[in-house]
């Protein structure tokens, strides 16, 4: 096979220390000083708060972004990613064939306040560099599609976490693993107010000093997974009781060790200082369920532990055994016998299972049936509605909840184009609007000025929404068109009474469940980093109410004279709203895709062909671990997650006997039984792996073989060659070959102290082929 090369222009993050060792970016000479100034100011030097960009815990100096060119070289026996600064200076060479899949993953936006970034996490021997820095490689791609394409390309040459290769050579192994952390930092209390834990010697002087400092404190949190920085909250000002409500999903993780939330304090003209931290041992934390509670923030040394407040967290840990796709064929056959969204309804009603919707939607998207399934549910809901249409599409049904997920999935860039700039302006400028005299304490003149400000911002938001109407994705247009025509047919809109109903039915989804919630809660849609301040939140609420009135085609406002400006805005915008709804609910002829790609079309085609060739040359488990574009889907992973959740919740609710006597639940019972069969197969394969590990140990094999990296490189002849590169091992780490057990149930609002800094019993150890310990 001849050498292949792939190129992409991205931006590279450099810490201040690393950047100081490199040559400064060249600036073209010019006789005009203004041109030189413009070139320098236009560079990608990031000058933001240390709380956003200091990647080390003690770092207080921001780094910088530099434009670079990445060249991926695919040779017969290796694959290398070369990173060039100024197109000619080789900065780093990353040996991708020595990496694990979990070493290449998208990073949370909060690290740099930048979208479409990935991190490549290397250790000595996996990278060569001109700079003596061990920091991860952070790259920002021009758009989301380019980022996903390159993540897929890089992972196709890296190694998935596969176990038992020699026990099942036809599949490339027995199973693989997937892990994810979903963490929401809700709020804090008494942060900076210290108290000695029971049993520690009193230290009244230190105690009183910290209590005095807690009167005025600006705090933020950093999230570390296995010692690696994975996310940051925003800085909150207050007296030790911040309200964050910030959610982090950290996926595709290596073996779990610890989750640490470090609370930092900021002071003007001073370096940030640590208030304390929460350490959660993930090995003995229950899987697949949300746990919410107050966690103590601890500081001090090993002899004296001081509690410096508490933070409220909502946490979910997922860890799944993934079998080859063929193992799920019987289960999938039953699954496909019904509308996929009917399964969501059954899971919720029969098992009280509410956390699999994303996996069901992912499976449906991969099978290209989701839109048809949603249309079928819409048909049923319209046919089942009584003659009164006041509640049409207004309830919290499977249809409406699925539509919310669908719009978030396909409409993220559309939402950003519509309201992103206006949201960032109103939040960044901290605009305060209050039109209620009882709330604001203003006189009539002050209220009238506030109304004028409200009308101005409503116009700004509406202008952005209207201008972006033709960017509505094809998938959303198809569904909106189906809903509009469905209502037109059902309610005979020829008469004046129901004339607006088809348009209102579209706005019930596009605005009531998408645009307006994003205005109300921009941090939940990636439009603003963190919960807006209370006064700004009030301004957003007022704007959202007016925009929703406009979407309802309702120009009625309060009768007070000072609200006349809002009424004039609504009346003057009604026809434009109708035009907007018509555009977003009418697919454009020949438009069957929703995304314009930043990558060159020829280069993207070359990459897609390379992925197909790569997939055909590797074993089954390795091929199935390569994400599916354009959404980075992993179908066996989603099937494994559904299987384990159904089995777990079936045991909790003991529904088997009840369903067996109910013939109407025959299909659901069949699906549950097939999930149990798949689960038993997974546990059998884990048992095989554990037995093999014990045999190796009793046969006096060198234990280090379990901490070595087996590298499989596909050759032109189609055979697998294995080479091994010894990597640093962590003797304190234990492999857990058995399925992670679910810890005992706990009430939602409890003090979760048992999981803080306490190691649980370890399972017999057995390492995976092709993974780094």
């Amino acid at each position: 096979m001849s050498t292949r090369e792939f190129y992409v222009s991205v931006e590279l993050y450099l810490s201040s220390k690393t950047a100081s060792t490199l040559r400064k970016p060249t600036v073209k000479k010019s006789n005009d000083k203004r041109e030189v100034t413009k070139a320098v100011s236009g560079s990608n030097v990031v000058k933001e708060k240390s709380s956003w960009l200091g990647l080390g815990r003690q770092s207080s100096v921001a780094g910088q972004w530099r434009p670079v060119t990445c060249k991926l070289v695919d040779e017969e026996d290796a694959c290398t990613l070369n990173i060039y600064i100024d197109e000619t200076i080789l900065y780093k060479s990353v040996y991708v064939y020595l990496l694990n899949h979990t070493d290449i993953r998208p990073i949370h936006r909060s690290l740099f306040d930048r979208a479409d970034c990935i991190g490549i996490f290397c250790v000595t021997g996996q990278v060569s560099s001109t700079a003596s820095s061990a920091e991860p490689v952070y790259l920002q791609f021009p758009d989301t599609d380019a980022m996903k394409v390159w993540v897929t390309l890089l992972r196709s040459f890296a190694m998935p976490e596969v176990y038992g290769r020699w026990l099942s050579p036809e599949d490339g192994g027995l199973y693989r693993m997937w892990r994810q952390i979903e963490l929401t930092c809700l709020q804090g209390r008494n942060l900076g107010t210290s108290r000695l834990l029971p049993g520690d010697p009193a230290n009244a002087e230190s105690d009183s000093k910290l209590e005095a400092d807690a009167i005025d404190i600006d705090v933020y949190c950093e999230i570390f997974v296995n010692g690696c920085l994975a996310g940051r909250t925003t800085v909150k000002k207050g007296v030790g009781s911040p309200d964050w409500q910030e959610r982090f999903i950290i996926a595709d993780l290596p073996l779990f060790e610890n989750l640490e939330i470090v609370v930092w304090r900021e002071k003007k003209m001073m370096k940030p200082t640590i208030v304390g931290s929460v350490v959660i041992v993930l090995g003995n934390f229950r899987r697949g369920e949300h746990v919410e509670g107050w966690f103590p923030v601890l500081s001090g040394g090993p002899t004296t532990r001081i509690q410096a407040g508490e933070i409220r967290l909502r946490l979910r840990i997922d860890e799944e055994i993934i079998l080859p796709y063929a193992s799920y064929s019987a289960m999938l056959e039953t699954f496909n016998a019904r509308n996929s969204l009917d399964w969501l309804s059954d899971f919720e009603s029969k098992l009280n299972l509410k956390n699999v919707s994303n996996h069901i939607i992912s499976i449906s998207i991969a099978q290209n049936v989701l839109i048809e399934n949603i249309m079928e549910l819409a048909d049923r809901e319209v046919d089942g509605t009584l003659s009164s249409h006041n509640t049409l599409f207004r309830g919290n049904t499977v249809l409406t909840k699925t539509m919310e997920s669908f719009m978030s999935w396909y409409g993220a860039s559309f939402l950003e184009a519509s309201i992103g700039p206006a949201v960032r302006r109103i939040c960044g400028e901290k605009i305060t609007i209050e039109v209620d005299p009882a709330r604001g304490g203003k006189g009539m003149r002050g209220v009238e000025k506030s109304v004028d400000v409200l009308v101005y911002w409503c116009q700004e938001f509406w202008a952005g929404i209207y201008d972006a109407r033709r960017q509505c994705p094809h998938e959303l247009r198809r569904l909106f068109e189906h809903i509009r025509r469905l209502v037109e047919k059902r309610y005979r809109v020829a008469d004046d009474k129901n004339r607006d109903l088809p348009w209102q039915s579209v706005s019930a989804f596009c605005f009531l469940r998408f645009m307006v919630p994003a205005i109300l809660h921009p941090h939940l849609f990636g439009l603003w980093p963190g919960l807006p301040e209370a006064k700004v939140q009030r301004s957003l609420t007022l704007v959202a109410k007016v925009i929703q009135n406009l979407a309802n085609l309702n120009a009625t406002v309060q009768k007070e004279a000072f609200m006349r400006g809002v009424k004039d805005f609504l009346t003057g915008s009604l026809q434009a709203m109708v035009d907007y709804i018509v555009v977003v609910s009418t697919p454009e002829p020949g438009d069957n895709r929703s995304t314009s790609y930043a990558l060159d079309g020829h280069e993207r085609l070359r990459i897609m062909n390379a992925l197909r060739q790569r997939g055909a040359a590797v074993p089954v488990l390795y091929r199935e671990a390569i994400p599916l574009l354009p959404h980075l889907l992993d179908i066996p992973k989603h099937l494994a997650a559904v299987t384990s959740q159904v089995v777990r919740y079936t045991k909790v609710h003991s529904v088997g006997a009840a369903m067996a006597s109910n013939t109407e639940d025959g299909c659901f019972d069949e699906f549950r039984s097939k999930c149990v069969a798949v689960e038993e197969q997974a546990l059998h394969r884990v048992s095989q792996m554990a037995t093999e590990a014990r045999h190796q140990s009793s046969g006096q094999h060198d234990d280090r073989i379990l901490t070595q990296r087996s590298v499989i490189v596909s050759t032109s002849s189609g055979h697998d060659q294995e080479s091994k590169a010894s990597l640093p091992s962590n003797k304190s780490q234990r492999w857990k070959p058995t399925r992670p057990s679910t810890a005992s149930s706990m009430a939602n609002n409890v003090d979760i102290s048992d999981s803080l800094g306490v190691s649980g019993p370890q399972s017999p150890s057995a390492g995976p082929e092709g993974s780094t310990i």
Side-chain angles (χ1 to χ4, degrees):
M1 182 179 66
S2 60
T3 300
R4 293 180 296 187
E5 298 178 350
F6 305 93
Y7 294 85
V8 66
S9 296
V10 297
E11 293 196 350
L12 169 73
Y13 174 80
L14 298 173
S15 66
S16 298
K17 180 179 179 181
T18 302
S20 65
T21 65
L22 300 176
R23 190 177 68 185
K24 294 183 178 180
T26 57
V27 179
K28 293 183 179 181
K29 295 182 178 181
S30 173
N31 295 328
D32 191 346
K33 293 183 179 180
R34 290 174 298 177
E35 291 186 12
V36 176
T37 303
K38 181 178 179 181
V40 173
S41 62
S43 66
N44 292 285
V45 177
V46 179
K47 297 180 179 180
E48 296 186 47
K49 298 179 69 174
S50 60
S51 59
W52 277 95
L53 293 181
L55 287 181
R57 297 189 186 185
Q58 303 292 334
S59 175
S60 60
V61 182
Q64 62 177 253
W65 289 87
R66 295 274 292 271
V68 298
T69 299
C70 291
K71 180 174 76 171
L72 185 69
V73 182
D74 173 22
E75 299 176 327
E76 291 188 5
D77 57 347
C79 179
T80 306
L81 178 68
N82 296 320
I83 302 174
Y84 296 91
I85 295 177
D86 298 333
E87 298 185 353
T88 57
I89 304 173
L90 179 61
Y91 167 65
K92 269 188 180 181
S93 293
V94 179
Y95 307 122
V96 180
Y97 68 100
L98 294 179
L99 298 179
N100 297 320
H101 278 203
T102 55
D103 298 328
I104 306 165
R105 57 182 186 266
I107 62 172
H108 196 270
R109 181 168 182 162
S110 63
L111 284 187
F112 303 106
D113 196 22
R114 289 185 171 216
D116 308 320
C117 295
I118 70 169
I120 302 176
F121 302 86
C122 313
V123 298
T124 303
Q126 296 174 333
V127 62
S128 65
S129 175
T130 57
S132 58
S133 171
E135 65 188 31
V137 177
Y138 293 106
L139 303 174
Q140 184 189 25
F141 288 81
D143 66 2
T144 302
D145 178 73
M147 183 269 290
K148 290 180 177 179
V149 167
W150 270 79
V151 165
T152 303
L153 181 62
L154 291 171
R155 285 187 180 176
S156 70
F157 293 101
M159 301 292 292
E161 187 182 330
V162 173
Y163 290 74
R165 178 187 170 215
W166 300 113
L167 296 176
S168 183
E170 67 279 5
D171 290 331
L174 292 172
Y175 58 89
R176 54 191 176 95
M177 297 294 295
W178 170 78
R179 302 174 188 86
Q180 175 176 285
I181 295 174
E182 179 185 330
L183 171 69
T184 303
C185 292
L186 298 170
Q187 57 191 136
R189 66 184 179 192
N190 303 322
L191 293 177
T193 304
S194 67
R195 65 180 179 86
L196 294 173
L197 296 180
D200 288 332
N203 191 338
E205 182 180 352
S206 174
D207 201 13
S208 61
K209 181 179 184 301
L210 287 174
E211 286 182 358
D213 287 345
I215 294 174
D216 184 16
I217 184 170
D218 298 345
V219 294
Y220 65 95
C221 297
E222 291 186 332
I223 295 100
F224 291 82
V225 179
N226 296 356
C228 182
L229 183 61
R232 285 189 182 90
T233 67
T234 52
V235 179
K236 291 297 181 182
K237 301 179 182 294
V239 290
S241 300
D243 190 16
W244 283 294
Q245 306 293 326
E246 296 177 29
R247 182 168 174 254
F248 303 83
I249 295 180
I250 309 165
D252 302 322
L253 292 170
L255 283 160
F256 284 141
E257 295 177 5
N258 292 338
L259 171 65
E260 184 176 8
I261 298 93
V262 181
V263 183
W264 289 83
R265 174 182 183 178
E266 278 196 347
K267 279 187 177 181
K268 291 183 179 179
M269 310 301 294
M270 296 180 64
K271 290 183 177 181
T273 57
I274 293 179
V275 175
S277 64
V278 175
V279 179
I280 301 173
V281 177
L282 299 176
N284 60 340
F285 203 93
R286 79 173 186 254
R287 306 299 198 249
E289 300 177 40
H290 283 96
V291 174
E292 181 176 325
W294 288 99
F295 290 72
V297 177
L298 304 179
S299 64
T303 58
T304 303
R305 299 292 283 169
I306 299 175
Q307 181 173 335
E310 297 173 293
I311 54 176
R312 190 175 185 83
L313 304 174
R314 182 186 299 121
L315 181 62
R316 176 188 169 99
I317 306 297
D318 287 300
E319 186 173 29
E320 300 295 348
I321 299 167
I322 306 173
L323 303 180
Y325 180 80
S327 301
Y328 303 98
S329 57
M331 185 189 88
L332 197 56
E333 181 181 357
T334 303
F335 178 86
N336 290 334
R338 304 173 62 197
N339 186 313
S340 62
L341 304 183
D342 287 334
W343 291 109
L344 285 178
S345 179
D346 280 353
F347 291 153
E348 185 169 346
S349 62
K350 295 181 173 65
L351 299 177
N352 196 29
L353 177 55
K354 303 176 181 179
N355 300 318
V356 295
S357 58
N358 182 64
H359 298 294
I360 297 295
I361 289 173
S362 298
I363 295 169
S364 301
I365 288 175
Q367 297 186 104
N368 199 29
V369 298
L370 181 59
I371 293 179
E372 287 73 16
N373 287 171
I374 294 176
M375 288 179 177
E376 182 184 335
L377 255 64
D379 294 349
R380 293 186 212 162
E381 185 155 328
V382 170
D383 290 340
T385 304
L386 301 176
S387 57
S388 173
H389 55 265
N390 294 330
T391 60
L392 183 61
F393 301 136
R394 301 283 170 169
N396 227 7
T397 64
V398 170
L399 170 65
T400 56
K401 288 186 285 189
T402 303
M403 277 293 292
E404 289 173 6
S405 299
F406 184 87
M407 289 185 291
S408 298
W409 193 299
Y410 284 100
S413 60
F414 174 52
L415 184 70
E416 162 62 31
S418 299
I419 64 173
V423 163
R424 284 187 288 277
R425 277 188 59 204
I426 200 171
C427 292
E429 297 174 20
K430 299 182 180 179
I431 301 299
T432 301
I433 306 172
E434 185 51 74
V435 297
D436 186 348
R439 280 174 170 259
K442 300 179 180 178
M444 188 57 63
R445 178 168 296 182
V447 172
E448 289 176 352
K449 288 183 178 179
S450 292
V451 171
D452 291 340
V453 175
L454 174 60
V455 171
Y456 168 79
W457 281 102
C458 289
Q459 291 171 339
E460 290 294 294
F461 272 84
W462 174 235
I465 293 170
Y466 185 78
D467 290 345
R469 65 195 184 282
R470 299 199 179 278
Q471 298 183 41
C472 183
H474 174 74
E475 293 85 356
L476 296 190
R477 291 190 184 211
R478 282 186 61 193
L479 280 181
F480 293 157
E481 180 191 38
H482 181 80
I483 290 167
R484 175 168 58 83
R485 295 191 181 280
L486 192 63
V487 174
E488 286 174 351
K489 180 180 178 181
R490 171 68 172 80
Y491 289 99
R492 301 183 182 88
V493 298
D495 55 70
D496 292 339
K497 180 181 178 181
N498 295 330
R499 182 187 60 183
D500 294 341
L501 191 57
W503 302 324
Q504 291 170 341
S505 65
V506 173
S507 71
F509 290 108
C510 187
F511 284 89
L512 181 63
R513 298 185 177 275
F514 192 41
M515 295 284 182
V516 169
I519 296 173
L520 285 170
H521 308 291
H523 63 294
L524 299 180
F525 292 81
L527 302 176
W528 184 253
L531 190 69
E533 296 181 9
K535 292 183 177 180
V536 177
Q537 186 67 60
R538 173 64 178 166
S539 302
L540 293 170
T541 300
L542 292 172
V543 171
K545 286 182 176 179
V546 176
I547 296 299
Q548 185 59 59
N549 266 12
L550 179 59
N552 293 339
L553 304 178
N554 178 16
T556 303
V557 295
Q558 301 175 22
K559 295 181 180 180
E560 288 83 350
F562 58 79
M563 293 296 289
R564 184 175 302 163
V566 174
K567 182 176 178 63
D568 292 342
F569 164 74
L570 291 172
T571 304
S573 304
L574 287 179
Q575 189 55 48
M577 174 57 76
V578 173
D579 175 67
Y580 177 92
I581 293 172
V582 170
V583 170
V584 299
S585 62
T586 305
E588 294 184 354
D591 180 17
N592 56 7
R593 74 171 193 176
S594 60
T595 307
S596 57
Y597 301 122
L599 288 178
D600 174 74
H602 177 67
E603 183 70 7
R604 195 176 194 279
L605 183 60
R606 288 183 64 242
I607 292 176
M608 299 303 291
N609 288 333
L611 289 173
R612 281 191 288 269
Q613 294 174 17
R614 181 67 179 166
V618 296
V620 172
L621 278 175
Y622 290 73
R623 178 172 65 250
E624 293 174 359
I626 300 173
L628 299 179
L629 292 169
H631 301 297
L632 295 184
L633 297 178
D634 182 343
I635 305 309
K637 176 192 77 177
H638 298 300
L639 291 168
V642 172
T643 299
S644 64
Q645 289 280 24
V646 168
V647 172
R648 180 179 295 122
Y649 276 75
T650 296
K651 293 177 180 178
V652 170
H653 294 275
S654 302
V655 298
M659 287 190 299
S661 61
N662 189 344
T663 56
E664 294 180 358
D665 291 324
C667 188
F668 185 82
D669 190 30
E670 178 185 352
F671 182 78
R672 182 193 62 84
S673 299
K674 290 182 177 179
C675 287
V676 171
V678 172
E679 184 79 352
E680 290 174 350
Q681 183 180 353
L683 295 177
H684 175 69
R685 293 193 176 207
V686 171
S687 177
Q688 281 183 273
M689 190 65 205
T691 301
E692 177 66 17
R694 286 193 294 269
H695 287 169
Q696 288 184 354
S697 177
S698 62
Q700 297 182 350
H701 284 74
D702 187 351
D703 288 341
R704 287 173 298 176
I705 193 172
L706 298 179
T707 65
Q708 288 181 332
R709 175 86 161 67
S710 298
V711 181
I712 302 176
V713 181
S714 175
T715 63
S716 57
S717 62
H719 296 289
D720 290 334
Q721 290 181 341
E722 181 181 274
S723 61
K724 295 181 179 178
S726 297
L727 299 178
S729 62
N730 183 355
K731 295 183 179 180
S732 64
Q733 186 171 354
R734 304 286 187 185
W735 290 102
K736 294 175 66 66
T738 57
R739 171 174 287 284
S741 59
T742 301
S744 57
S745 297
M746 292 183 285
N748 280 343
N749 302 325
V750 293
D751 181 8
I752 322 290
S753 57
D754 292 341
S755 297
L756 306 181
V758 180
S759 297
Q762 301 292 341
S763 304
S765 61
E769 289 86 2
S771 64
T772 303
I773 300 181

